[in-house]
Amino acid sequence: MPLRKFVYFIRQKVNMKTVATMCLSLLALLLSGSAFAQGQGEPMLPYSPSLDLSSIDNSVDPCANLYQYACGRWQKNNPIPADQTSWSVYAKLYQDNLKFLRGILEQAAASGGTRDSVTQEIGDFYTACMDEGEAERRGLGALKAQLDAIEQPRSARELTSLVARLQLYVGGYRSLLFSAGSDQDPDNSERVIAVLGQGGLGLPDRDYYTREDAKSKEIRERYLQHVQKIFELLGENGESAKKHAETLMRMETGLAKASLTRVEQRDPYKLKNKTDLAALNKLAPNFDWEAYYRELRYPSIEIINVAPASFFVEVNRQLEAEPIENWKSYLRFHIADTSSPYLSSAFEQENFDFYRKYLRGAKEMQPRWKRCVQLTDYNLGEALGQAYVRKVFSPQLKQSTLDMVVRIEAAMEQRIRTLDWMSPETKQQALVKLHGIRNKIGYPDKWRDYSSVKITAKDFAGDIQRLTEFEHRRRIAKIGKPVDHGEWEISPTTVDAYYNAQMNDINFPAGVLQPPLYDPKMDDAPNYGNTGGTIGHELTHGFDDEGSQFDATGNLKNWWTDEDRKKFDERTKCVSGQYSNYVVVDDVHINGLLTMGEDVADLGGEILAYIAWKGATKNKDLSLMDGLTPEQRFFIGYAQWDCANERPEDMRMRAQVDPHSPPEYRINGVVVNMPEFAKAFGCKAGQPMVNPPEKVCRVW
Ligand SMILES: [Zn+2]
């Protein structure tokens, strides 16, 4: 979903299409164990508490380093599994979820004859995915129609309808030449319009093509080798493959230079450029836009948001400058590279070697069952989600988490009313926005219907291709129709949460409301510190440097007085200044402008959680537990949401593309600004976890 620019997750979402892994042997399948609990027929999720004393390292002073104190032994006890690029409480829960979902899918696959349509869809998809032998036998045959089509055009002008058709097969975070689809009109959030955006790259970000440091040069060299290898797997000899790889690199570098940086993309006005078809034809006349939209059967289009326009000027330039043979190479590489999950093991191996091993540091591929569970979740999330929530998300759980959401929102209201730096005028508008937020908990009220898609147990490549097309067409079909406010961007099984600025809604899937994050067996303190903080985080996104530019209805519209905006900017600058000082790996610092929204949300979220917790427990007699005060339990619960171990390769990549700060700073960077923390642990002025008063950052 490369087009959603204003959606903020608590964690970076996993890039599904490049997490391709490989084949597994039958032995690995037998040894890896399934989620079926011993002696029972039903899959179960394992339990771990939301405050875990065995994770604490008592040799560390919490006033010196809260993260090390709360997570030190977790780090020792939880080395990164060989098939993972990093490891954390979230990642572990996600992996537990995969095992659990595997149990559901194996049951669905084995259920045969009388099953309902949802069970058939997920069961057959999973069965087809697990048939590694068939993928190996078909090999490139699975892409024959696409590869044949790429050979047809005789001029760049004839590329239009080909690009249109091929884009339907490329999903996830990759796009072919550019990204396209629909989105809410930035000025009228109840209207869905056509959109065109930058894209078309094989490396994770445009900066990879432009940086001149030694590491970036090395990565480009390795990427060239990867592209060359894909051409060789497509049947080219070494010399031709090398030449085509160099051509592709030149074309992508041109696209990268015309793309906005991640920091620029955080400015909603840089992503707004509403135009129409006539103007688009003038902007990029070498592409036949009428034919493009006709081919994809778009509804009638009055407005297209084309941003950044400069990107399409570059597309247009290359359409003229590059001979048709170069375009064919470009398309062949991207179609093959993004299809590697359902091609032969040689493609999967190469995809893993470059994207997951070299760029992110994983040592081994994930076993095939894991990849298949993830692909089922990615492609049929709201079918698999139905089976999942029936087992893990009771109405009581929904009610208790909703209660917490309501309390956090009440805390936000209280905060806004008592802010000393904001005028009554702006406060009034902030409250309107707060009251306009929709809360979505657990799963959608209305499930997505995949019944129009043919899914069979014998055609994995076809299943994925048809489901990827289904998703593109679903998005295209939204144009001109009323906005569906019940829609979710992620599946119910996802261990993540998000705020969407144009919807003005906060979304917490069932997957993120499980222990050890939300733990119904535990007292309020760690639950508010952990899940309360997450809820507060998403809520604060509505009021961070970016979200605060959208109003209660999700329109990009200023509701601030100039004076208040200036004071707000000074406060967010304090946060970005603090985080820019933190080192990620080697000489790489946090890019405080990239992570500003997340850092502001982390800080605001925890302050809100603290206020809400105090409110929720004001008549309760809170006492020491396990030698810890309730306040200490609140902050340990907070820190333990993000206990993690990380590989340097992955940290380096995430410093460029991930708007979230590394785990240690997401914890310590927040509490240094909270006198409530210093008080809870008796920390003194001058200790590392206590910012001196003149350096304390506070936005909300
Ligand atoms: Zn966030």
Side-chain angles (χ1 to χ4, degrees):
M1 292 169 279
L3 283 162
R4 305 295 312 193
K5 303 300 187 201
F6 309 115
V7 179
Y8 314 94
F9 297 92
I10 185 128
R11 303 288 296 186
Q12 173 80 344
K13 274 195 63 182
V14 183
N15 185 344
M16 285 297 304
K17 292 298 175 188
T18 54
V19 228
T21 53
M22 77 160 201
C23 44
L24 84 169
S25 66
L26 186 60
L27 185 65
L29 176 65
L30 293 171
L31 289 177
S32 55
S34 93
F36 289 102
Q38 204 92 46
Q40 293 175 9
E42 281 298 305
M44 285 173 63
L45 267 177
Y47 170 75
S48 358
S50 68
L51 190 159
D52 191 351
L53 295 172
S54 71
S55 295
I56 295 176
D57 182 349
N58 280 305
S59 72
V60 177
D61 177 358
C63 298
N65 189 328
L66 171 66
Y67 182 75
Q68 277 307 316
Y69 164 78
C71 295
R73 272 165 62 204
W74 186 98
Q75 289 183 308
K76 282 193 192 80
N77 296 335
N78 292 278
I80 307 174
D83 68 351
Q84 297 298 307
T85 56
S86 63
W87 199 231
S88 63
V89 167
Y90 265 52
K92 197 161 180 276
L93 175 55
Y94 178 65
Q95 294 294 316
D96 288 341
N97 244 355
L98 292 182
K99 284 187 204 153
F100 178 65
L101 295 170
R102 178 191 187 184
I104 291 175
L105 287 168
E106 286 176 352
Q107 278 187 340
S111 61
T114 54
R115 49 199 184 154
D116 58 65
S117 63
V118 166
T119 309
Q120 178 267 317
E121 285 157 6
I122 59 176
D124 282 354
F125 183 89
Y126 184 72
T127 302
C129 182
M130 287 301 289
D131 192 349
E132 186 196 356
E134 175 62 18
E136 206 64 45
R137 272 190 299 281
R138 277 186 84 178
L140 271 178
L143 275 186
K144 186 170 187 312
Q146 289 83 352
L147 293 173
D148 285 351
I150 291 172
E151 294 314 312
Q152 300 311 312
R154 283 154 300 169
S155 70
R157 194 72 188 170
E158 291 176 31
L159 278 173
T160 305
S161 58
L162 175 64
V163 166
R165 273 176 287 137
L166 291 178
Q167 280 181 340
L168 293 174
Y169 298 110
V170 177
Y173 286 78
R174 293 275 288 270
S175 59
L176 206 62
L177 192 53
F178 53 83
S179 57
S182 67
D183 210 339
Q184 286 161 278
D185 182 340
D187 302 311
N188 177 3
S189 63
E190 290 303 320
R191 176 162 67 182
V192 183
I193 58 172
V195 292
L196 290 173
Q198 66 191 45
L201 306 179
L203 283 167
D205 184 65
R206 52 94 65 204
D207 284 356
Y208 280 82
Y209 297 84
T210 57
R211 292 194 178 181
E212 282 305 320
D213 59 284
K215 187 71 189 172
S216 299
K217 285 179 180 165
E218 179 204 299
I219 291 173
R220 286 198 289 275
E221 207 41 56
R222 285 295 300 264
Y223 180 57
L224 264 176
Q225 290 166 15
H226 166 64
V227 178
Q228 182 178 340
K229 186 75 195 290
I230 295 292
F231 281 127
E232 286 172 9
L233 289 171
L234 284 167
E236 294 186 20
N237 66 37
E239 200 187 327
S240 151
K242 187 163 185 286
K243 199 178 117 238
H244 287 155
E246 281 160 5
T247 300
L248 180 124
M249 191 65 170
R250 187 186 66 240
M251 292 168 78
E252 288 191 5
T253 303
L255 296 177
K257 285 183 176 159
S259 298
L260 297 177
T261 66
R262 299 236 169 200
V263 171
E264 286 168 337
Q265 289 180 62
R266 302 197 70 251
D267 177 351
Y269 289 93
K270 287 204 163 71
L271 292 173
K272 180 178 135 174
N273 176 36
K274 280 157 59 179
T275 181
D276 59 18
L277 207 47
L280 178 59
N281 281 329
K282 279 202 193 103
L283 180 74
N286 292 329
F287 198 72
D288 187 347
W289 295 102
E290 272 95 2
Y292 174 80
Y293 285 116
R294 202 166 46 239
E295 180 70 40
L296 289 171
R297 302 200 300 273
Y298 269 65
S300 83
I301 304 171
E302 283 159 31
I303 304 170
I304 313 170
N305 194 50
V306 183
S310 56
F311 181 83
F312 291 89
V313 172
E314 171 62 13
V315 168
N316 191 62
R317 186 193 70 75
Q318 290 198 21
L319 283 167
E320 189 155 26
E322 298 290 349
I324 185 68
E325 289 312 314
N326 293 357
W327 286 107
K328 290 179 180 176
S329 298
Y330 173 88
L331 296 174
R332 276 151 50 83
F333 167 75
H334 279 278
I335 278 292
D337 198 42
T338 53
S339 303
S340 55
Y342 57 81
L343 298 180
S344 64
S345 55
F347 279 92
E348 288 182 296
Q349 179 73 51
E350 178 53 33
N351 190 285
F352 167 80
D353 283 348
F354 180 70
Y355 287 107
R356 235 172 122 79
K357 188 177 184 185
Y358 172 68
L359 278 185
R360 305 188 65 189
K363 305 291 179 224
E364 284 174 14
M365 285 194 218
Q366 300 183 94
R368 192 171 184 94
W369 71 261
K370 241 187 229 184
R371 182 169 69 81
C372 287
V373 174
Q374 291 174 73
L375 285 168
T376 313
D377 188 42
Y378 187 81
N379 287 285
L380 287 165
E382 292 199 12
L384 181 57
Q386 293 182 43
Y388 175 77
V389 299
R390 269 200 297 272
K391 291 181 194 293
V392 305
F393 204 68
S394 66
Q396 294 90 317
L397 184 55
K398 184 163 183 163
Q399 194 50 50
S400 59
T401 46
L402 184 60
D403 286 348
M404 195 185 258
V405 171
V406 170
R407 283 186 186 279
I408 305 274
E409 285 171 344
M412 184 76 179
E413 175 155 357
Q414 188 188 326
R415 264 313 277 169
I416 291 170
R417 289 190 192 282
T418 52
L419 283 179
D420 57 7
W421 57 270
M422 190 183 270
S423 70
E425 244 175 302
T426 306
K427 280 183 182 178
Q428 186 56 35
Q429 294 304 314
L431 290 172
V432 170
K433 171 148 189 179
L434 176 66
H435 295 147
I437 289 176
R438 287 182 174 85
N439 302 321
K440 284 151 70 183
I441 314 282
Y443 54 91
D445 293 334
K446 189 168 160 279
W447 295 102
R448 193 161 299 158
D449 179 7
Y450 303 96
S451 61
S452 64
V453 188
K454 184 180 153 204
I455 299 165
T456 84
K458 293 196 178 328
D459 180 14
F460 179 47
D463 289 345
I464 289 215
Q465 289 169 354
R466 286 185 290 269
L467 282 163
T468 308
E469 176 173 353
F470 168 80
E471 178 59 15
H472 281 290
R473 294 220 179 274
R474 191 182 71 80
R475 286 173 181 267
I476 290 169
K478 292 201 253 179
I479 295 167
K481 297 218 183 86
V483 170
D484 174 8
H485 287 284
E487 185 182 357
W488 286 64
E489 293 285 332
I490 51 180
S491 71
T493 64
T494 308
V495 185
D496 210 334
Y498 71 92
Y499 169 76
N500 183 331
Q502 287 179 285
M503 289 283 198
N504 198 24
D505 63 12
I506 48 178
N507 303 258
F508 304 95
V512 83
L513 298 171
Q514 304 295 325
L517 304 175
Y518 184 77
D519 184 356
K521 292 186 187 162
M522 198 51 77
D523 52 307
D524 285 330
N527 274 324
Y528 270 87
N530 186 325
T531 296
T534 303
I535 295 166
H537 172 105
E538 299 308 339
L539 199 58
T540 306
H541 272 313
F543 304 87
D544 70 16
D545 58 311
E546 200 173 307
S548 62
Q549 300 184 63
F550 293 83
D551 70 8
T553 59
N555 290 335
L556 187 54
K557 195 172 164 200
N558 183 28
W559 45 269
W560 295 69
T561 65
D562 290 348
E563 187 60 22
D564 287 333
R565 189 79 209 180
K566 225 173 93 207
K567 289 181 187 162
F568 175 79
D569 289 344
E570 277 162 22
R571 285 165 182 270
T572 55
K573 222 167 116 189
C574 174
V575 174
S576 63
Q578 178 193 319
Y579 282 79
S580 293
N581 280 325
Y582 296 136
V583 173
V584 180
V585 59
D586 300 336
D587 58 343
V588 181
H589 280 242
I590 289 179
N591 179 351
L593 293 176
L594 176 63
T595 61
M596 188 199 273
E598 296 299 334
D599 300 331
V600 167
D602 281 339
L603 176 59
E606 214 45 31
I607 292 171
L608 296 180
Y610 193 86
I611 297 170
W613 170 59
K614 282 288 170 190
T617 55
K618 73 170 176 279
N619 297 321
K620 286 188 187 167
D621 180 25
L622 301 179
S623 49
L624 277 182
M625 283 172 79
D626 303 315
L628 297 167
T629 67
E631 285 78 12
Q632 290 171 341
R633 292 174 66 78
F634 173 91
F635 284 106
I636 296 170
Y638 171 54
Q640 289 191 344
W641 88 260
D642 209 10
C643 294
N645 279 311
E646 304 196 277
R647 300 190 195 278
E649 295 89 342
D650 198 47
M651 292 179 83
R652 182 178 286 275
M653 187 189 99
R654 297 223 316 264
Q656 286 204 44
V657 303
D658 189 346
H660 304 89
S661 295
E664 177 170 356
Y665 304 124
R666 293 192 72 173
I667 304 305
N668 291 348
V670 165
V671 297
V672 294
N673 292 315
M674 287 183 73
E676 299 89 340
F677 168 77
K679 195 169 162 220
F681 285 92
C683 306
K684 305 272 178 304
Q687 289 193 281
M689 291 296 99
V690 186
N691 264 355
E694 73 279 7
K695 286 201 166 161
V696 166
C697 304
R698 203 107 176 178
V699 184
W700 293 99

